Amino acid sequence: MNVVQSVVRHRLFWPIVALVVLVVASTLKSPTFLDITVRDGHLFGGPVDILRRSSVLLLVALGMTLVIATRGIDLSVGAVMAIAGAVALTQIAASPDPGSLATVAAAIGTALLIALLIGLFNGFLVAVVGIQPIIATLVLMTAGRGIAMLITGGNITTVTSQPYKTLASGYWLSLPVAAIIAGVVFAATALVTRRTALGVLIESVGINPSASRLAGVRARTIIWTVYVVCALFACLAGFIRSADTMAADANNIGLFIELDAILAVVIGGTSLAGGKFSLTGTLVGTLVITTLTLSITILGIPANAVSLFKALVVIAVCLLQSPVVQHRMRARRRRTAPVPVEVPA
């Protein structure tokens, strides 16, 4: 019983239950949902499609997890995605050889450099100037798409470049390149934050910035670092999303993805109050949101109701994770449990 209780109390129990329910519902509606086939040496099927679709959100959510762990928030990730796509595709379109690997590499490098500057700017406003993170990043959230529009000249820039398109639709080792990129970034982030002192430093800044500063932790540097990392991860997500359509649409790329990223982090058990964070939880939260979106389509629910069902699932999972709700559930179980009767000898 103790093992069962410890499993139920784990912060990832209810998110995993929600994920399983969504998969089962999709499988009942479409029996081939979990089938994986091999065509032209590539894997296809529902699970593979979930991995591919989750890649963009996972990249953004990983950066958001680190920022939230420091008691921050980054509302500019969607705008960073739009800027990244605009810079990369505009530079590729202006090149005499858009299909050249060197051209694509140079465009990606330029966009990453701009994302680095954006992250430094956000970190400066939060760590040095002392502006509230939600306000500091709201500046770029509102202005970022305007910057992307200026880069593209107000047009939707489209190009034909097979190396760049590979980021979204290509395969490597039979798996989608987008999923591999997200997986590598996830593994690298987990390795750096859990095998070095960086993770502990991030959590210490989030738990008590003043105490960590007195203990010798360079809180400003840590905050700057997480905002830079968040911007770079959003830039990578922007590459994949723009490569999916091969168009730099400043008004739509990454639109409202910051909200999904925050939801994925919260579903994964990371508190918005800062402190301890869970990258594995963020991965599970990302899979829940992606599977929910796909399941709604399979179940034949109208597309305009996606946001409503997403909100209902998120509310249910968060309520079940709530310490207050869990405490009351345990108290009710104790009241309804049978009282053992002692038999006199």
Side-chain angles (χ1 to χ4, degrees):
M1 182 61 69
N2 292 333
V3 175
V4 175
Q5 289 179 350
S6 62
V7 171
V8 173
R9 292 175 185 175
H10 196 279
R11 63 175 178 270
L12 293 182
F13 175 76
W14 290 112
I16 292 177
V17 168
L19 181 60
V20 171
V21 169
L22 291 171
V23 171
V24 170
S26 299
T27 305
L28 292 176
K29 180 66 176 180
S30 176
T32 60
F33 177 71
L34 292 179
D35 292 350
I36 298 178
T37 60
V38 180
R39 290 182 302 203
D40 299 327
H42 305 324
L43 296 178
F44 292 90
V48 179
D49 195 28
I50 290 175
L51 291 178
R52 183 180 62 82
R53 293 186 180 212
S54 299
S55 58
V56 171
L57 180 57
L58 178 58
L59 288 170
V60 177
L62 284 175
M64 190 71 74
T65 302
L66 301 181
V67 170
I68 288 176
T70 62
R71 292 190 181 185
I73 202 81
D74 192 345
L75 300 179
S76 67
V77 287
V80 174
M81 288 178 60
I83 293 173
V87 171
L89 288 181
T90 300
Q91 186 168 334
I92 292 174
S95 171
D97 187 9
S100 170
L101 185 60
T103 299
V104 173
I108 290 175
T110 303
L112 285 172
L113 178 60
I114 293 176
L116 174 65
L117 297 176
I118 291 173
L120 288 172
F121 175 74
N122 286 337
F124 174 78
L125 293 181
V126 176
V128 179
V129 181
I131 300 176
Q132 289 291 330
I134 193 171
I135 302 300
T137 56
L138 186 63
V139 172
L140 195 59
M141 178 185 178
T142 55
R145 296 193 182 277
I147 296 173
M149 291 287 287
L150 290 175
I151 294 172
T152 60
N155 302 315
I156 298 178
T157 303
T158 58
V159 298
T160 301
S161 176
Q162 187 57 41
Y164 192 78
K165 187 174 180 60
T166 301
L167 295 175
S169 59
Y171 282 80
W172 188 57
L173 298 178
S174 300
L175 294 174
V177 171
I180 293 176
I181 293 173
V184 169
V185 172
F186 175 84
T189 305
L191 182 65
V192 172
T193 56
R194 295 310 181 192
R195 296 299 180 182
T196 69
L198 180 60
V200 176
L201 296 177
I202 291 174
E203 291 178 346
S204 66
V205 171
I207 293 172
N208 193 325
S210 300
S212 62
R213 192 177 298 110
L214 292 175
V217 178
R218 297 183 178 181
R220 285 186 177 181
T221 303
I222 297 298
I223 294 174
W224 234 328
T225 300
V226 296
Y227 279 97
V228 168
V229 170
C230 188
L232 291 176
F233 287 179
C235 182
L236 294 177
F239 294 152
I240 297 174
R241 183 56 57 84
S242 60
D244 192 25
T245 59
M246 290 306 293
D249 188 354
N251 289 322
N252 293 312
I253 291 181
L255 188 63
F256 300 135
I257 196 172
E258 56 274 354
L259 302 182
D260 282 347
I262 294 171
L263 289 178
V265 174
V266 172
I267 290 174
T270 299
S271 173
L272 291 176
K276 291 187 177 182
F277 62 93
S278 172
L279 297 179
T280 304
T282 297
L283 173 61
V284 174
T286 300
L287 292 176
V288 169
I289 292 176
T290 305
T291 306
L292 173 62
T293 305
L294 188 59
S295 298
I296 288 175
T297 304
I298 294 175
L299 295 175
I301 299 173
N304 53 11
V306 171
S307 299
L308 174 61
F309 279 88
K310 187 184 296 183
L312 292 176
V313 172
V314 168
I315 290 173
V317 172
C318 290
L319 283 176
L320 291 170
Q321 285 181 303
S322 168
V324 175
V325 174
Q326 291 184 359
H327 174 73
R328 292 185 177 180
M329 290 173 62
R330 289 195 296 268
R332 177 171 295 182
R333 284 196 297 267
R334 285 195 296 267
R335 288 197 300 267
T336 58
V339 179
V341 178
E342 294 184 2
V343 179

